[in-house]
Amino acid sequence: MLWAPLAGFVLLAVLVAVGLLRPADRTVLSRMVGRPVPALVLAPAVAGKPGLSTADLKGEVRLVNLFASWCAPCIAEAPQLLALKQAGVRIDGIALRDARADVTRFLADHGDPFDHIGDDPRSTAQLALGSSGVPESFVVDAAGVIRHQHVGPIMPQDMDAILAAIEDAR
Amino acid sequence: MIAEVGHAALWVAAALALAQLIFAAAAFTMRGAALADAVRPVAIVQGLAAVCAFAMLAWLFSRTDLSVLLVALNSHVDKPWLYKIAGTWGNHEGSMLLWVAVLGAAGAAYALLERQLAARTTIATLGAQAAIALGFYAFLLIASNPFTRLNPPAATGLGLNPILQDPGLAFHPPTLYLGYVGLSIAFSIAVGALVTRDVGPDLAKAMRPWVLGAWVLLTLGITAGSYWAYYELGWGGWWFWDPVENASLMPWLAATALLHSISVLAARGALRAWTVMLAVLAFSMSMVGTFLVRSGILTSVHAFAVDPARGSFILALLVIYIGGALALFGWRVGTVRQGATFTAWSREGSLVLNNLLLTAILGIVLVGTLYPLAIEALGLERVSVGPPYFNAATAPLALALMVAMVAGPLIRWRRDDWRETLAKLRLPAGLAVLVAAVVWIAAGWIGLLPLLGLAIAAAVAAGSVAPLWGRNLRRTPLFTWGMVVSHLGVAVSVAGMASESAFTQEVLVAARAGEVHEVGPFRVRFVGIEPISGPNFTALQAVLYAGRRGGAVHELKPQARSFWNPPTETREAALLTSGGGQLYAVLGRQESRGRWQLRLWWKPWVTLIWGGGALIAAGAALSILGRVTRRRRRADRTAYA
């Protein structure tokens, strides 16, 4: 009984030492990976292109990309998305907390790889997908199940991993 | 040259701490007994050297000496003077130097002032204090030297995180540090008394002024920190259960428990082992708190420094000090003599209940703070523990604690008749029921916890002044007044918390110039947006005219500030205090077509939260005054007898 405080403290010290020596990975992965896409019905974000709903994400493997016109890394990511489209990947977008005119200008400036673009003015779709930032991309298989999540911009060095994840989902 | 003097002073302090430790240890041997007389003077000079090192660093910051790496990284030539000085402790190395300077100064003050304890115990205490200081000096000199030069010097300096550029910051960390480190004396006394097997009422009397003083400063620091987060972060809340807030709350909880068990030990000679345990726990929590903040292993809004090498160093120190003290406790506490006995229904019994509840709350906060770390260490998943857990887990215990607080001071020492106590409790209980009924009728159902909070606050207010009942107020000792004022402060603060959570009204509007919006009893007119420039930032400032319907109109100017060194944005809330409540306005983003997001809160009685905190601290200050004057009077009497 008298040694209980010491035992408790030793436990605490071991715990803290583990936390210190294993540098923490601060990326937060979605719990939705491996589950069907939650029910979404998003209005079109720009004129002349359909919005996005869960039904659109069935029948074919698709990449769902969360982006915003105010997001600088999304600009860095744009060429890779265009290259994926060239490679035959079907891509849908979700525009986060954005204005129609800004999205239109963003697509004109940096290219438009998207089949559908859903408008998510209050981040509800983003939260439902379990995403914690922009940009983020999800690989969705033909059955509408999320198979892979990529946090942060898709850079040239990430292309192989993304293409492999898409191949897996097929 | 200033940097070199500071660096040398730090080495001198470290060497003297080593000498102090060796002399103290030697004093317990046959041949070294003569060295006992040297321990006190060495402790005093060691404290002076540590304070000198800190003063040199503050001088470097006030001159913005950019040939010193730390200054170049954390200051800027354009910074206002107050924040240049505050920049001294707004960074890792400087804050650690402040920590050891306070530690050294506390040791010196103890060496100068201690008259209560047996000479052997005082020497052992100073030895323990030297051991702690030595470790932290080594940490600074080896792993965090604040005096490293930068060659060639920087041109302007990198700046200080703008959120920290606030008068609140200038005094918040030093206040907390003084409190944390004041508890080191209680820790050292406990260790010293275990070493000399001298645990008795004298120990409590020697600790009491230090614990009271530390407790005043911790209370003030936490209160000020809460108010700072409230107006600076612009989120409208006053407590976020952030790991760093918890780091300051845990020593406070332990010190509060210690304060009450000290009063039992001093007055009745009971609770000996328990008081020693709490004294060890309180300073251990201070060190763990500093460590959690400084190592960055828990992410939080306060994340300043993330450095595993330094973290490992401090962890090793913690293991030595806390582990050593707890091992000594396990080894020696069996030799502590049984104190005076008491029945469950007695003042002592109520104070034991107070101790158990406070320790349980401390456990809840500790578990909640470290739980994410434990889950991650086990490789399970990543979680964060938020206010719902803390509020739900601590509120019932806090309310139970307050019930004990009403009854405790009305119960006699040793034993009492519970029927008599219940009779005394009729007035507070009746008042609680009355308040609950009035609130329910006037405001409807406001939720269980806020309603209970308001009712129990009324009972505590009545119970806290009850000890004055039937006393000659002039002849009532100051420390009794201190208890009354502190307990009243708790009632005031809890009333503020309950009313903030029950009655706050919030509106979020997209306002266009000229529009009028309403929140609570206020009408707020949005006049427009104007750009302004400060000493090291530019800002957009909204001009609002706010007033109660038909009442005087006041101008409010919430700002969205952009700092350029380093580039950061902050939101400065604007506050209008009226009848104990506050109108709280935050300027948000620009919406399209000339509309601006405005967030407005009306928080009735919210200022009671901090007013109560100030009362709690004032009560403890009165207690210190009472103990000191009584001791002096007693000394005078013996001198003339």
Side-chain angles (χ1 to χ4, degrees), chain A residues 2 12 16 22 25 27 31, chain B residues 291 323 333 370 376 381-382:
Chain A
L2 295 177
L12 183 106
V16 170
R22 223 177 37 194
D25 174 14
T27 51
R31 286 165 159 263
Chain B
F291 170 74
V333 84
L370 294 177
E376 222 178 310
E381 57 183 320
R382 195 149 311 135

Side-chain angles (χ1 to χ4, degrees), chain B residues 358-561:
Chain B
L358 280 167
T359 317
I361 295 175
L362 170 62
I364 288 171
V365 177
L366 184 68
V367 166
T369 308
L370 294 177
Y371 183 72
L373 193 65
I375 290 298
E376 222 178 310
L378 294 174
L380 294 179
E381 57 183 320
R382 195 149 311 135
V383 296
S384 72
V385 178
Y389 159 80
F390 287 108
N391 289 341
T394 56
L397 290 180
L399 292 178
L401 185 62
M402 293 181 67
V403 172
M405 223 173 119
V406 180
L410 302 176
I411 306 177
R412 272 193 285 270
W413 292 104
R414 289 191 64 195
R415 79 156 69 117
D416 203 348
D417 185 355
W418 59 271
R419 274 161 301 207
E420 242 177 82
T421 315
L422 286 189
K424 287 182 194 160
L425 285 174
R426 265 184 305 206
L427 177 72
L431 199 62
V433 172
L434 182 69
V435 165
V438 167
V439 170
W440 199 342
I441 291 164
W445 180 248
I446 57 171
L448 181 63
L449 277 181
L451 191 64
L452 279 178
L454 286 174
I456 295 186
V460 171
S464 64
V465 292
L468 297 178
W469 199 253
R471 271 187 184 249
N472 180 339
L473 292 188
R474 287 227 193 129
R475 303 197 52 166
T476 302
L478 267 183
F479 47 80
T480 303
W481 278 103
M483 179 189 77
V484 167
V485 170
S486 279
H487 284 191
L488 194 61
V490 174
V492 168
S493 197
V494 169
M497 294 172 197
S499 110
E500 197 266 350
S501 80
F503 304 124
T504 293
Q505 297 183 40
E506 176 184 357
V507 293
L508 172 64
V509 293
R512 191 193 291 278
E515 283 180 357
V516 175
H517 293 276
E518 298 199 354
V519 55
F522 285 89
R523 293 168 62 84
V524 180
R525 184 186 173 82
F526 179 43
V527 179
I529 294 280
E530 59 189 31
I532 57 163
S533 74
N536 52 352
F537 62 87
T538 56
L540 288 171
Q541 173 171 283
V543 180
L544 310 172
Y545 289 156
R548 287 173 186 262
R549 290 179 196 93
V553 172
H554 303 269
E555 199 176 47
L556 282 180
K557 294 180 168 177
Q559 298 177 347
R561 288 186 181 171

Side-chain angles (χ1 to χ4, degrees), chain A residues 2-3 5-7 9 12-13 15-22 24-29 31 70 97 122, chain B residues 277 291 296-297 299 308 311-312 315 318-319 322-323 326-327 329-331 333 370 373-374 376-377 381-382:
Chain A
L2 295 177
W3 298 91
L6 183 62
F9 173 70
L12 183 106
L15 183 67
V16 170
V18 171
L20 262 180
L21 300 178
R22 223 177 37 194
D25 174 14
R26 302 284 178 207
T27 51
V28 179
L29 289 178
R31 286 165 159 263
W70 44 263
R97 297 183 168 264
R122 299 212 167 267
Chain B
M277 185 68 232
F291 170 74
I297 58 168
T299 38
S312 314
L315 180 61
L318 296 199
V319 168
I322 304 176
L326 292 176
F329 179 83
W331 178 32
V333 84
L370 294 177
L373 193 65
E376 222 178 310
E381 57 183 320
R382 195 149 311 135

